[in-house]
Amino acid sequence: MDRRDVLKLLGLSAVAPMAGRFGLVGCSEVGPGVQSLQDGVPRTVQQLAPGLELALSAVPEEVSLLPGEATSVWRFRGEVVRGRLDALRAAGESYLGPTLRLRRGERVRIRFANGLPEPSVIHWHGLDVPESADGHPRFAFPTGVEYVYDFTVANRSGTYWYHPHPDMRTGPQVHRGLAGLLLVDDEEEAALGLPAAESELVCVIQDRSFDEANQFAYPESAGMGGGPAGRGGMGRGRGMGGMGPMGMAGMTELMNGVLGDRVLVNGVPNFTAPVEAGWVRLRLLNGSNARTYKLGWSDGRPMTVIGGDGGLLERAVSRDFLTLAPGQRADLVQDLSDLSEGARIRLRSLAYPPEDAGNVGMMMGATMGMSAGPAHGAALDVLTIDVRGRNTRPLRLPERLSEPGPGWDAAPSAPVRRVALAMGQMQWTLGGRTFELEGVSPEETVEAGSTHVWELVNVPNPMGMAMAHPIHIHGRQFRVLGRSGGMPDSGLRAGIVDEGWTDTVLVLPGETVRIQIRFSEHPGLYLYHCHILEHEDLGMMRNFRIV
Ligand code: C2O
Ligand code: CU
Ligand code: CU
């Protein structure tokens, strides 16, 4: 389906001028004579033609994932309207959106047409963009409308991604299939001579359970495709009395985060990749709603990590296993030259005690005498590498892979703010509050370009219940200064990589994690939240304002 078909489907026309034909909302810099409705105010903005223009849409589709019935998914589709054709690569036969490959410093315009039966908006996870391009839930827009994003790629080379961000509907929309990779290239990385694109395996890791009809199982699936069922079903802050048709089991599953009983990689079950013996680069995204993986190779070889959320580390680090929380990325290089033709090794998620990630669902489920579905910490197969052929290209990684750049050095005089991660009355809270669409408190207000230290404190409730929360901050990569507290024998701690720039940090039960962040120069209202998407939807999210 190309863009014209999508527009036809939406009852729209691709013929200019479009402004009169349907609502065009958003962004800072829109074409000449095109009316933009920002904050409800029509205006015409001077056009500086970006070199690259992409069209994305989100549409329902049927894909064949398992033998038998097709699975109904929601999917991003896209095409290059103007500029480099290699800026967009369609994903394979599954549900993922196209992979966007952008360059640092490049100006890009992305038109996003909503073909879903409910409001949506795209967020570019990890990118430092103007407020109007960040995909805040207050910019979510309905079916048949197009939103124009316009920004310059400021980020370093790295593995980023995009996904929807509507209020209370992010979990179900991502679960239904809406997600895609966004890779940024820059010169610093190109100079390293890392294994080239053809020896690079880019993997989106997601867990899903299927029902008997091969459909993705999500606790509110009855409302899926039929608009924002979440509101009526379990309205945030309503307490248990207002839970409606969802019921206790569904609520428990949401509080725990929705887990699947099998892993799909790039949307494919039992993912197997033919790889040449030699050096391979593996770029991983945990695009799961709630599951934290403890990734390890089946033959026990160490994981060599060269990058994280915000691009290359200063130096490569090695781990026996790698802890990857929802939203996080990892960049690895692995020497597979010892493997012979036909050899197979598997990447697995190793078992860990469920209470290392969180026991809330289990305890609540047990208390109420019902099963809470798949548990955290289950051993799962992730992918299989099937050795085919050999490449003898040598890899000489320099001692120093990258310079962290400005904002990295410790700022001892930075103001310190304590942010409690806690469980309130059947809801998760952030700094003692839950999400308000426009609400922001004085301690959530920071100056553009200022540096702050936030202490993320994971506070168990009086019954000792706590969950690991991957805390994500929009707009800027930050630095982890240190961790303290928590369970001394945590099965996940040793696999955490805190060495580089990151935008999502896992705070284990009982832990305090200190981060240092130099806020963006772009003023406006941005988000920070737990990246367990059900926690986010339940309100474990807040605004911060950059002034
Ligand atoms: Cu990847 Cu606000 O999220
Ligand atoms: Cu984000
Ligand atoms: Cu959480």
Side-chain angles (χ1 to χ4, degrees), residues 386-430:
D386 182 12
V387 177
R388 296 282 159 211
R390 174 167 295 277
N391 80 63
T392 52
R393 290 187 289 276
L395 178 71
R396 273 177 219 92
L397 279 183
E399 236 339 79
R400 212 170 161 76
L401 296 170
S402 78
E403 295 302 324
W408 181 260
D409 292 342
S413 56
V416 178
R417 175 184 171 219
R418 180 182 188 274
V419 184
L421 324 177
M423 190 165 78
Q425 293 286 81
M426 292 298 286
Q427 58 187 350
W428 295 105
T429 59
L430 199 51

Side-chain angles (χ1 to χ4, degrees), residues 171-184:
Q173 289 195 5
V174 172
H175 198 269
R176 199 81 187 254
L178 293 170
L181 283 159
L182 192 163
L183 308 178
V184 174

Side-chain angles (χ1 to χ4, degrees), residues 188-462:
E188 185 184 37
E189 186 191 303
L192 286 182
L194 291 170
E198 56 282 6
S199 337
E200 174 180 279
L201 205 55
V202 190
C203 299
V204 181
I205 303 173
Q206 297 174 307
D207 59 333
R208 293 286 185 275
S209 293
F210 291 84
D211 67 16
E212 326 73 55
N214 283 354
Q215 304 307 307
F216 293 146
Y218 198 83
E220 52 118 51
S221 55
M224 268 219 174
R231 279 174 202 279
M234 64 163 205
R236 188 187 288 155
R238 281 155 163 255
M240 295 164 50
M243 223 176 301
M246 166 167 303
M248 207 52 228
M251 190 61 197
T252 302
E253 206 177 339
L254 293 179
M255 286 295 286
N256 198 37
V258 174
L259 301 170
D261 56 11
R262 66 188 300 166
V263 176
L264 309 186
V265 169
N266 299 339
V268 176
N270 308 315
F271 183 83
T272 301
V275 167
E276 292 174 335
W279 285 100
V280 60
R281 181 179 186 182
L282 209 63
R283 302 170 77 156
L284 307 175
L285 157 67
N286 182 354
S288 308
N289 281 41
R291 188 178 290 283
T292 291
Y293 298 92
K294 180 176 177 176
L295 299 171
W297 293 109
S298 53
D299 63 0
R301 72 181 61 219
M303 316 275 291
T304 310
V305 183
I306 60 165
D309 295 343
L312 294 167
L313 309 179
E314 286 183 82
R315 301 185 170 70
V317 300
S318 175
R319 295 283 188 275
D320 290 338
F321 62 90
L322 175 68
T323 300
L324 203 64
Q328 292 185 317
R329 289 84 70 204
D331 202 335
L332 291 87
V333 289
Q334 297 288 163
D335 182 4
L336 303 180
S337 56
D338 57 313
L339 296 176
S340 40
E341 183 73 16
R344 294 186 145 221
I345 58 168
R346 271 174 303 148
L347 186 65
R348 296 192 298 204
S349 188
L350 311 170
Y352 60 85
E355 54 274 18
D356 290 357
N359 52 11
V360 170
M362 288 181 57
M363 285 190 62
M364 284 173 50
T367 316
M368 285 140 203
M370 51 192 124
S371 130
H376 289 284
L380 294 163
D381 283 332
V382 175
L383 62 87
T384 303
I385 281 183
D386 182 12
V387 177
R388 296 282 159 211
R390 174 167 295 277
N391 80 63
T392 52
R393 290 187 289 276
L395 178 71
R396 273 177 219 92
L397 279 183
E399 236 339 79
R400 212 170 161 76
L401 296 170
S402 78
E403 295 302 324
W408 181 260
D409 292 342
S413 56
V416 178
R417 175 184 171 219
R418 180 182 188 274
V419 184
L421 324 177
M423 190 165 78
Q425 293 286 81
M426 292 298 286
Q427 58 187 350
W428 295 105
T429 59
L430 199 51
R433 299 184 175 91
T434 54
F435 187 57
E436 305 159 87
L437 197 58
E438 317 255 355
V440 64
S441 71
E443 68 265 30
E444 292 168 322
T445 304
V446 297
E447 250 172 70
S450 66
T451 300
H452 291 248
V453 170
W454 283 6
E455 281 181 1
L456 309 171
V457 187
N458 193 337
V459 189
N461 79 354

Side-chain angles (χ1 to χ4, degrees), residues 56-59 61 73-79 88-100 122 161-164 174 176-182 204 206 266-267 285:
L56 290 181
S57 59
V59 288
E61 275 188 22
V73 301
W74 288 351
R75 185 174 199 182
F76 289 121
R77 287 289 186 178
E79 66 171 8
L88 187 148
R89 199 180 56 232
E93 257 323 295
S94 184
Y95 55 80
L96 285 182
T99 297
L100 311 186
I122 297 181
W161 63 304
Y162 61 98
H163 61 74
V174 172
R176 199 81 187 254
L178 293 170
L181 283 159
L182 192 163
V204 181
Q206 297 174 307
N266 299 339
L285 157 67

